[in-house]
Amino acid sequence: MMSLKSKANDTGMAKQKGSQASLLDKINPLIIVIVFLYIGITLLSDRFLDIGNQMNILRQVAVYLIIALGMTFVIASRGIDLSVGSNLGLCAMVLGTLIEAGTPVAIAMVLVVGLGTLIGAFNGLVITRFRINPLIVTLGMLVALRGATHFFMGGSIIRMPESLRFIGQGFIGFVPVPAIIALTATAFAYWLFFHTRFGRHTVSIGSNEEACQVLGIHVNRHKVAVYAFQGACVGLAAAIIVGRLNAASPSLGNLYELHIIAAVVLGGTALYGGVGTIGGTLLGILTIGVLENGMVLIGADFHLQRVLLGFLLIFAVAYQEHRRRVIDTRAFSRIKEAEE
Amino acid sequence: MQDDERDILGVMDSMDTAVSPLLSLQDLRKSYGAIEAARGVSFDIFPNEVVAMVGDNGAGKSTIVKMLSGVVKPDGGQLFWQGKPFHPSGPDAVRDAGIETMFQDLALVNDVDAPGNLFMGQEPMKRWLGFLPILDRKKMRLETERLLDQIKIKLQSVDRPVRLMSGGQRQAIAIARILLSAKAQLMIMDEPTAALGIQEQAKVLNVIRNLHAQGLSILVISHNLEHVFSIANRIVVVQGGRIAASVATDEVSQQDVVQLIMGGRLQ
Ligand SMILES: Nc1ncnc2c1ncn2[C@@H]1O[C@H](COP(=O)(O)OP(=O)(O)OP(=O)(O)O)[C@@H](O)[C@H]1O
Ligand SMILES: [Mg+2]
């Protein structure tokens, strides 16, 4: 069901027809990037291709991927959510606190997904009701949520129950449980994005909000739902990361937003909205995950990784702009030829 | 249009008391800040009537359309739909009531293809493997091709984003969209021929005639008096946010209408 081909638009089905459509237009270039990364890192480190290390990459990227799924909807709708990292930290601390107080793991998880959803919905409500730029609203929330987490829940909480550790560290066969959860979530997000009205209206709002309003789509309600979905993804990710670390700390999730936005944009979802792809987001997350894993294996400096991530974000946006122009120009000339 | 057909409608017009309006506008008002775009607009649209709305740029025509289609809430005044007070909550409520609108700016979503635009907000669903609800893309495409065929405007392929289409093709999609509804009783078209070539204009006028023949009412806005006289039963002249005149097409000349638009009076 997952298609890794990058259509110019996952939901808009802007298929590039005609035999002259170049392969690059059809296949997400990240596939090529990943192949080159694999070759390059394998040459530099003999541990890279170990099945253990490969599964380790999957486990590492699971949390990012789940949050990035929500971010794909947010960005495709021409929004942005900078507060996901802080939201993750808060959800993780609340989860830890609930469990420490004796709440059964299942109930605590449901509550935390609910909390994440509420925070997302709050973002959406502020953005739509008061017509404030999402960049500002979620930047404010990034700071406020982090502050609140440190203020109300000081130190780290350690030693989580077995069932939560299974979610974060367990294996089914040789596949890490977090990877299974993340891939299931990816399949769900793909369906939601590509095959339902919800997904279609999400990109449509990103492309032309006024037209959607005029055509009877409840734009504000829809946007709140999109941010709420993002929050739900964060809540789920919080359960996995607390299980994986066997601990919760108030600074958890710091700078995650950069990582995730870079991956989503790298994958092909457009920052100006109207275009989005779940398959691309999966590839974007994998690219960054492989890159980071490789740098650790090679022994590159942690701070150097940050430098790379920052430049990657800038490059991703520049590249998407370029790609959109080139593809549009080519499509135009093809259509002109066909019509003459 | 046949002369006898117009005669019958002329009779219907003169029997206002017998036939009640399909849609009635009473004293609609709308201001944008200091600009009073509509200053008390009242007129009726009767069943199976083609009403043309004319007026200079900025006269307030599109503002009236937006109030009728639920996009803009009037500051004051009343709407009656089939005799009952009508306070639509939004565009979807208006559509549900049986009024379809083609907007002057076309209201197209640029990154989405033609079928996606036609069905925006009312996409058909089907079940994949009998359980998973998914969009019925095939149905959307076939229906789009059928409707575009109906208005006889060619589109090379429907499955590319509409931003890659010409102005005329985009207009065709906006027109096809209002033909989608099976229960519409009133079609509102804000300058449907604006971006079209001569041949395509004629096709759109035919679409309007066909809709009329099917018993629908149409409110059409146009700056082309030639068109207006060839399709309308009645002409409503808008000027400075007010209705300057409402005249039966066969009782006036084009010259008269030009006069009215420019602010003159009929002798
Ligand atoms: N959203 C808006 N905000 C502010 N002013 C507006 C808005 N929409 C319309 N107006 C103003 O209201 C007046 C009427 O505009 P409207 O679009 O209804 O005219 P129109 O008769 O449709 O003109 P045209 O023939 O050019 O389409 C104009 O003065 C216009 O500037
Ligand atoms: Mg207008």
Side-chain angles (χ1 to χ4, degrees):
Chain A
M1 180 161 121
M2 278 299 305
S3 148
L4 294 185
K5 276 188 203 138
S6 118
K7 291 155 193 161
N9 185 343
D10 242 357
T11 17
M13 40 174 164
K15 273 180 225 145
Q16 307 295 335
K17 273 208 168 174
S19 51
Q20 301 132 323
S22 97
L23 201 64
L24 255 185
D25 293 358
K26 288 189 160 182
I27 288 179
N28 196 317
L30 281 187
I31 293 178
I32 300 161
V33 173
I34 291 176
V35 168
F36 274 102
L37 278 176
Y38 264 83
I39 296 171
I41 302 170
T42 306
L43 293 178
L44 292 171
S45 162
D46 48 1
R47 278 177 301 157
F48 177 67
L49 274 186
D50 282 359
I51 187 79
N53 184 52
Q54 289 301 308
M55 291 303 134
N56 194 26
I57 293 176
L58 282 185
R59 190 170 51 218
Q60 296 281 346
V61 300
V63 168
Y64 288 134
L65 178 55
I66 290 170
I67 302 174
L69 296 173
M71 191 68 82
T72 306
F73 284 76
V74 172
I75 292 181
S77 77
R78 200 184 271 241
I80 192 92
D81 189 350
L82 298 179
S83 70
V84 288
S86 298
N87 192 359
L88 185 76
L90 176 66
C91 284
M93 283 305 286
V94 169
L95 183 70
T97 309
L98 283 171
I99 287 174
E100 205 174 38
T103 316
V105 167
I107 293 174
M109 276 178 64
V110 170
L111 288 175
V112 157
V113 171
L115 174 67
T117 309
L118 274 181
I119 290 170
F122 179 80
N123 280 333
L125 278 172
V126 175
I127 288 163
T128 54
R129 295 293 150 218
F130 303 107
R131 304 196 157 277
I132 309 176
N133 189 317
L135 197 75
I136 300 303
V137 174
T138 58
L139 181 62
M141 287 292 278
L142 176 155
V143 179
L145 290 175
R146 185 68 68 194
T149 309
H150 279 285
F151 184 78
F152 290 112
M153 290 161 285
S156 299
I157 299 164
I158 49 166
R159 274 197 285 282
M160 291 295 138
E162 174 62 35
S163 54
L164 193 64
R165 285 208 311 270
F166 178 73
I167 288 171
Q169 309 172 358
F171 283 87
I172 293 179
F174 59 90
V175 188
V177 174
I180 292 172
I181 297 173
L183 288 175
T184 309
T186 306
F188 173 79
Y190 179 81
W191 166 76
L192 191 65
F193 196 82
F194 192 58
H195 284 300
T196 70
R197 286 183 183 173
F198 184 83
R200 182 161 278 257
H201 295 172
T202 300
V203 267
S204 300
I205 287 171
S207 179
N208 188 346
E209 191 175 322
E210 289 75 28
C212 290
Q213 186 83 46
V214 154
L215 296 176
I217 294 172
H218 297 271
V219 171
N220 284 353
R221 203 187 296 171
H222 192 96
K223 281 189 183 174
V224 173
V226 165
Y227 284 94
F229 175 64
Q230 169 74 87
C233 293
V234 171
L236 177 62
I240 294 176
I241 198 162
V242 173
R244 194 180 87 207
L245 301 175
N246 193 17
S249 101
S251 55
L252 207 67
N254 203 11
L255 283 182
Y256 271 35
E257 59 281 346
L258 282 187
H259 195 117
I260 285 155
I261 292 167
V264 170
V265 176
L266 201 58
T269 298
L271 262 183
Y272 37 76
V275 177
T277 144
I278 297 292
T281 292
L282 175 62
L283 290 175
I285 287 286
L286 282 176
T287 304
I288 297 183
V290 168
L291 200 61
E292 287 197 330
N293 178 270
M295 292 186 73
V296 170
L297 291 185
I298 296 163
D301 186 81
F302 169 79
H303 297 290
L304 206 58
Q305 292 182 38
R306 288 259 171 271
V307 174
L308 198 73
L309 184 62
F311 280 120
L312 204 59
L313 178 62
I314 297 170
F315 169 76
V317 176
Y319 179 69
Q320 289 300 344
E321 277 295 333
H322 166 76
R323 189 168 140 87
R324 177 176 156 105
R325 270 198 305 275
V326 167
I327 289 183
D328 262 19
T329 315
R330 280 201 213 126
F332 247 133
S333 44
R334 263 201 305 281
I335 288 155
K336 278 269 139 39
E337 272 167 32
E339 275 170 2
E340 265 149 28
Chain B
M1 147 158 347
Q2 274 84 43
D3 276 339
D4 46 2
E5 205 179 321
R6 202 181 273 169
D7 280 346
I8 295 169
L9 287 157
V11 173
M12 279 169 58
D13 269 1
S14 60
M15 298 193 312
D16 277 6
T17 42
V19 185
S20 55
L22 183 63
L23 180 68
S24 185
L25 293 66
Q26 296 188 2
D27 200 32
L28 290 184
R29 294 167 183 280
K30 177 72 199 174
S31 298
Y32 296 106
I35 302 167
E36 289 180 80
R39 327 175 171 209
V41 171
S42 307
F43 68 92
D44 296 331
I45 299 168
F46 288 90
N48 200 206
E49 187 184 30
V50 178
V51 177
M53 191 149 66
V54 299
D56 275 336
N57 294 133
K61 305 179 297 295
S62 296
T63 303
I64 296 172
V65 166
K66 284 178 194 156
M67 290 192 287
L68 297 184
S69 56
V71 173
V72 157
K73 275 216 170 17
D75 298 336
Q78 274 273 14
L79 274 178
F80 293 87
W81 175 244
Q82 299 177 320
K84 293 186 210 80
F86 186 46
H87 306 284
S89 56
D92 47 339
V94 172
R95 201 185 236 171
D96 284 344
I99 302 175
E100 290 285 329
T101 311
M102 190 223 104
F103 297 91
Q104 185 173 7
D105 69 2
L106 306 182
L108 295 176
V109 178
N110 270 337
D111 293 304
V112 174
D113 61 2
N117 268 288
L118 242 75
F119 283 89
M120 189 60 67
Q122 41 190 355
E123 294 84 354
M125 303 293 292
K126 66 175 183 187
R127 300 224 165 228
W128 185 65
L129 299 179
F131 77 98
L132 191 70
I134 61 171
L135 293 169
D136 193 344
R137 290 196 155 79
K138 192 173 163 201
K139 183 173 173 185
M140 286 163 64
R141 202 189 65 243
L142 292 178
E143 191 74 351
T144 302
E145 282 166 355
R146 187 181 69 76
L147 285 171
L148 287 171
D149 214 44
Q150 196 175 315
I151 55 178
K152 301 201 168 54
I153 289 180
K154 260 205 334 265
L155 219 60
Q156 201 64 44
S157 70
V158 296
D159 55 357
R160 56 185 146 104
V162 299
R163 81 181 123 84
L164 297 178
M165 294 184 183
S166 77
Q169 292 168 332
R170 292 162 57 86
Q171 187 131 25
I173 292 164
I175 294 171
R177 175 155 63 199
I178 67 172
L179 304 179
L180 194 62
S181 162
K183 62 179 178 188
Q185 298 181 59
L186 171 63
M187 302 286 196
I188 303 175
M189 302 166 99
D190 197 344
E191 305 202 17
T193 56
L196 299 180
I198 308 274
Q199 285 185 352
E200 284 76 17
Q201 291 182 5
K203 287 171 186 167
V204 169
L205 296 184
N206 269 326
V207 168
I208 296 176
R209 288 192 192 98
N210 284 337
L211 291 170
H212 188 213
Q214 287 164 30
L216 277 78
S217 297
I218 297 111
L219 174 64
V220 57
I221 291 166
S222 177
H223 290 290
N224 187 325
L225 292 184
E226 209 70 42
H227 292 169
V228 167
F229 272 79
S230 80
I231 50 169
N233 304 121
R234 200 150 51 83
I235 301 174
V236 170
V237 181
V238 186
Q239 198 199 78
R242 289 200 180 85
I243 304 298
S246 168
V247 291
T249 313
D250 46 10
E251 287 169 5
V252 290
S253 67
Q254 287 201 27
Q255 201 49 47
D256 294 336
V257 175
V258 171
Q259 196 93 50
L260 286 167
I261 292 172
M262 308 221 302
R265 303 224 164 267
L266 283 187
Q267 280 77 33

